[in-house]
Amino acid sequence: MNPRRLHCLFLLLTVASACAEPTPPPLPPLGASEEMLTVSGLSSGGYMAVQMQVAHSALVRGAGILAGGAYYCARNNVANTVNCMAPGSSSLYPPVPPVSRLIDEAEQQGHLGQIDPPTNLAQHKVWLLSGSGDQTVTTQAVDLLRNFYRRWVPESALVYAHVPTAGHALIQPDAPDANDCPVTASPYINRCGEFDAPGRLLAHLLGPLQPKNESPQGRIVPFSQHEFTGGTSDSRLSGLAKTGYVYVPPACEQGGCRVHVAFHGCQQQAERLGMVFVEESGYNRWADSNRLIVLYPQIATQSFWPSVFNPKACWDWWGYSGVDYHLRSGRQIAAVKAMIDRLTSPR
């Protein structure tokens, strides 16, 4: 090869190296407590929070579901998501299943040992949210989830909040980039007066809280998610992004804090919004004053048809990552469980 071509090749390699995304560091062990582990999520993140809670009901102690629906509603078929999100909205797609079928699936998988026994849910607390203006995941879909939980969760432990006019969004009053209450649009964070969904759900799941900090003082730690999926190629199959985030309050640096997992919704991933969901969802302000580590796992936009087709970076609640997506062995559930195990490992 002549010197000129060698020089051009060197320049191309140098530019490619400079533009490559740096590898994030490993998720650090933080000596967190396994007691009172809680989860929450919006939209597909709500469905994922349900799956995580049901699959690991011996570990998770409560869930906050914002505009999410019932466990295993889509039944390994993306076509089923249409009526699962808005029951009765389309005669072209399969109707929403009766709640008894979804209860039977959970009980059967518990009997087979594929998930923890769902009878554990009798010891859980659950907080649900639906906006009357939400046409994406309608109140009827959240009603189905409520009826699923009623099989095990006592009425006194189940709170169902309704926000008049609210669109499809996480609702909290402090986000600089929030939309008005009726809006359904990016970043899917809305302001509806002083209604604070993260604060209300955390108070129900964990008990009375100290007042939130007006300005979070902790640190946001990026970490590699690939180690929890077996590497880059397996991460593509799982749908997980290269980088996840964890918020660590100053009081949690020495260990002993509880953990909350916050699942973003479709199109809320850091790849698209930057740090908006991680910084503006409202959890960090409550975490600071209540000794709470917040884990923000991330999904990536992927269109590897037909193996993985997830152009909006949704959490898997219909089976794109595998038929066991709703079980402990599911790629996403297993990865998040491994992240939790790392956070609760000794420093």
Side-chain angles (χ1 to χ4, degrees), residues 8 81 107-109 117 148 153 164 198 204 232 235 254-255 260 270 281 302 305-306 310:
C8 291
T81 62
E107 291 183 333
Q108 179 182 4
Q109 296 299 339
F148 172 84
V153 180
H204 177 63
T232 302
S235 289
Q254 301 306 313
H260 182 81
S281 56
Q302 292 182 308
W305 182 263
N310 186 27

Side-chain angles (χ1 to χ4, degrees), residues 146-230:
R146 175 200 57 194
N147 295 338
F148 172 84
Y149 277 126
R150 278 177 166 171
R151 172 65 179 84
W152 303 280
V153 180
E155 287 292 333
S156 60
L158 178 60
V159 170
Y160 191 176
H162 297 269
V163 181
T165 76
H168 186 66
L170 185 153
I171 300 169
Q172 70 102 351
D174 303 314
D177 294 305
N179 294 315
D180 291 336
C181 193
V183 173
T184 295
S186 183
Y188 303 99
I189 300 174
N190 285 9
R191 186 179 297 106
C192 300
E194 293 303 309
F195 192 96
D196 190 330
R200 293 195 185 201
L201 73 87
L202 289 173
H204 177 63
L205 302 183
L206 299 174
L209 301 177
Q210 295 298 315
K212 62 186 175 184
N213 278 1
E214 291 305 312
S215 178
Q217 302 299 307
R219 60 190 179 108
I220 295 172
V221 181
F223 66 91
S224 171
Q225 296 191 136
H226 285 185
E227 69 169 303
F228 301 106
T229 60

Side-chain angles (χ1 to χ4, degrees), residues 275-292:
M275 301 302 288
V276 171
F277 183 78
V278 175
E279 293 180 345
E280 297 188 26
S281 56
Y283 292 96
N284 299 346
R285 296 169 187 242
W286 292 104
D288 255 11
S289 52
N290 290 281
R291 292 182 52 81
L292 190 66

Side-chain angles (χ1 to χ4, degrees), residues 111-181:
H111 179 73
L112 293 172
Q114 299 300 311
I115 63 173
D116 292 347
T119 51
N120 291 329
L121 295 170
Q123 306 302 317
H124 288 209
K125 291 184 177 181
V126 172
W127 192 89
L128 307 177
L129 173 70
S130 180
S132 62
D134 189 341
Q135 300 303 309
T136 304
V137 178
T138 65
T139 295
Q140 289 78 8
V142 186
D143 288 347
L144 184 68
L145 174 59
R146 175 200 57 194
N147 295 338
F148 172 84
Y149 277 126
R150 278 177 166 171
R151 172 65 179 84
W152 303 280
V153 180
E155 287 292 333
S156 60
L158 178 60
V159 170
Y160 191 176
H162 297 269
V163 181
T165 76
H168 186 66
L170 185 153
I171 300 169
Q172 70 102 351
D174 303 314
D177 294 305
N179 294 315
D180 291 336
C181 193

